[in-house]
Amino acid sequence: MAHPASTNQPVTGLILSGGGARAAYQVGVLAAIADLLPNAAHNPFPVIVGTSAGAINAVGLACGALHFTEAVRRLTGVWQGFHTDQVYRSDWPGVLRQASRFIGHSLLGLGGEVPVALLDSSPLAKLLGRELDFTGIAAAVRHRQLRAVAVTAFGYETGQAVTFYQGRATIDPWFRHRRVGVPTRLGLDHLLASASIPLIFPPVKINREYFGDGAMRQSAPISPALHLGATRVLVVGVSDNPIGQQAQKPVQRPKHSRPPSLAQISGHMLNSTFIDSLESDIELLERLNQLGQLIPADSPSRGLGLKPVDVLVISPSQPLDLIAARHRHELPAALRLFLRGPGATRASGAGVLSYLLFEPGYCNELIELGYQDAMAQKARLIEFLSLDSPPVPVAIPVSA
């Protein structure tokens, strides 16, 4: 693994998890951090890692890493103005055409060579192509405002979680069980692949393999940031499951006597894909930190990967599915009818809706929640990101 040079300055990694429309929350957290920065142009995250919709936010930041606050402003503007039809076809012809293709492909075996899913995500490709300037990544790396940016996708043929990264040439690829790191020049296909939620959005072909959402079988979501040289990580999650001491506080949710709907079951499956692995990885890292603190500083075991990694987690303080339920009327009429049968338009099925509701009311409420949650940890963020001291250029790394 590559490590920063001998300077004792920590290398901060930013981890943005997946979650479809839930990723609007991350933009609010980033907006709060931008407001706390003493230098508006300084990028406080030399390592940026994203998965699924978090990959889009991650690359958006990396493309504008030379002017961090401006990059956050652009991201915020996109999310504040989001409409569902900018992400996937939500008009009657588009929904009906995609539904018929999905049924014909899945039940009748028609059009087997064409990747098919429930929704047509071609509008997202047009939006990202218009909003992102990928040349900004190389410029940020060259000016030492960025060490590396990475996105993770899942290979359907190999069954591996592949982290595609762009950064310093001294960062070595890695090979672990079902997860690898591959250096590349990031492009639109990598983002679309990482954000292709299984069955909902179609897989994307990169080179010779089809890829889907990177959260699938991503057993160690924090690991890529550490491979890229991060020595401390800020994790911006989209789970409303309390962590640490807050886990003792029960969340009040409405009770239902009905059997679970298809949407309710699907919501739990999506949560399992996007959330559970990250929470487990955070718990594992905290336990390794505790173990590492028991080892004397002069022990040879310090060189076995047990050096503590400082972790700060910011995640929603309110249940996002309940917020989505309040905004379900914003969903386009064609999609409301399409999702009514599985139960996604009912409060009990709002878990699925919380991933698909790319509409201004919902996204803006998540942005505001993210901003307030980050500001609630203002003192911790200032200390964690060393914002009370002048920014230090990213050190040139050396291979270990």
Side-chain angles (χ1 to χ4, degrees):
M1 185 188 303
H3 296 281
S6 59
T7 176
N8 291 324
Q9 291 294 332
V11 176
T12 306
L14 173 66
I15 297 177
L16 301 175
S17 62
R22 289 181 172 220
Y25 176 86
Q26 299 169 348
V27 177
V29 174
L30 294 171
I33 292 172
D35 284 350
L36 295 176
L37 287 177
N39 179 355
H42 171 60
N43 171 29
F45 304 109
V47 174
I48 305 175
V49 176
T51 303
S52 193
I56 296 174
N57 288 338
V59 171
L61 282 182
C63 289
L66 290 177
H67 303 281
F68 180 82
T69 299
E70 175 63 19
V72 173
R73 187 195 65 80
R74 285 180 61 88
L75 269 179
T76 304
V78 171
W79 280 94
Q80 285 178 332
F82 247 144
H83 289 277
T84 301
D85 59 10
Q86 294 176 298
V87 181
Y88 52 88
R89 292 283 300 272
S90 58
D91 56 300
W92 282 105
V95 170
L96 292 175
R97 176 176 176 271
Q98 196 67 17
S100 62
R101 287 185 63 192
F102 183 82
I103 294 172
H105 180 276
S106 302
L107 299 182
L108 304 178
L110 302 177
E113 296 300 319
V114 180
V116 177
L118 283 170
L119 299 173
D120 177 1
S121 59
S122 58
L124 179 61
K126 296 177 182 178
L127 175 69
L128 296 179
R130 184 172 64 250
E131 294 290 339
L132 296 178
D133 179 9
F134 289 90
T135 63
I137 298 176
V141 172
R142 188 167 59 251
H143 288 85
R144 299 185 183 180
Q145 284 298 312
L146 185 68
R147 175 175 167 81
V149 57
V151 304
T152 299
F154 172 77
Y156 282 103
E157 291 293 329
T158 61
Q160 292 180 325
V162 180
T163 299
F164 299 99
Y165 67 89
Q166 181 176 345
R168 298 291 179 85
T170 49
I171 301 175
D172 295 327
W174 61 90
F175 302 90
R176 298 293 185 270
H177 179 64
R178 293 200 178 277
R179 51 188 177 92
V180 299
V182 178
T184 189
R185 181 174 290 274
L186 292 176
L188 186 58
D189 284 346
H190 299 98
L191 295 190
L192 294 174
S194 183
S196 293
I197 301 175
L199 298 180
I200 296 178
F201 297 136
V204 177
K205 193 173 185 179
I206 300 176
N207 299 324
R208 299 181 179 180
E209 185 174 8
Y210 279 100
F211 287 86
D213 199 294
M216 291 191 295
R217 302 187 70 174
Q218 188 182 28
S219 57
I222 297 176
S223 175
L226 305 182
H227 280 289
L228 296 172
T231 58
R232 62 183 180 187
V233 291
L234 171 64
V235 179
V236 184
V238 294
S239 166
D240 47 51
N241 294 328
I243 296 176
Q245 294 181 352
Q246 297 298 319
Q248 304 303 320
K249 299 180 179 180
V251 178
Q252 297 297 325
R253 295 175 181 268
K255 296 182 179 180
H256 305 277
S257 58
R258 300 177 179 175
S261 65
L262 178 60
Q264 191 173 2
I265 295 172
S266 299
H268 285 295
M269 292 176 65
L270 288 173
N271 289 341
S272 176
T273 298
F274 289 108
I275 293 171
D276 292 355
S277 294
L278 179 60
E279 292 179 341
S280 298
D281 208 26
I282 292 171
E283 182 178 5
L284 175 61
L285 186 56
E286 290 176 343
R287 290 184 178 180
L288 289 175
N289 283 342
Q290 295 172 0
L291 177 61
Q293 291 172 357
L294 299 176
I295 300 176
D298 57 352
S299 172
S301 298
R302 280 286 184 175
L304 299 179
L306 290 177
K307 185 176 181 180
V309 177
D310 198 9
V311 182
L312 176 60
V313 180
I314 299 179
S315 58
S317 58
Q318 300 179 26
L320 301 192
D321 53 349
L322 299 186
I323 297 176
R326 293 201 299 268
H327 292 276
R328 59 182 180 269
H329 64 277
E330 299 179 19
L331 203 65
L335 279 174
R336 282 204 303 272
L337 179 61
F338 185 63
L339 296 175
R340 183 179 301 165
T345 56
R346 298 200 299 263
S348 61
V352 170
L353 205 61
S354 69
Y355 290 92
L356 300 178
L357 190 54
F358 292 90
E359 292 294 334
Y362 175 62
C363 290
N364 278 277
E365 185 166 347
L366 294 197
I367 291 172
E368 179 62 23
L369 179 62
Y371 188 92
Q372 296 301 329
D373 285 349
M375 283 301 183
Q377 298 196 53
K378 176 180 177 180
R380 181 74 176 98
L381 274 171
I382 291 175
E383 177 188 6
F384 185 84
L385 299 176
S386 306
L387 299 183
D388 52 356
S389 58
V392 178
V394 179
I396 299 177
V398 295
S399 298

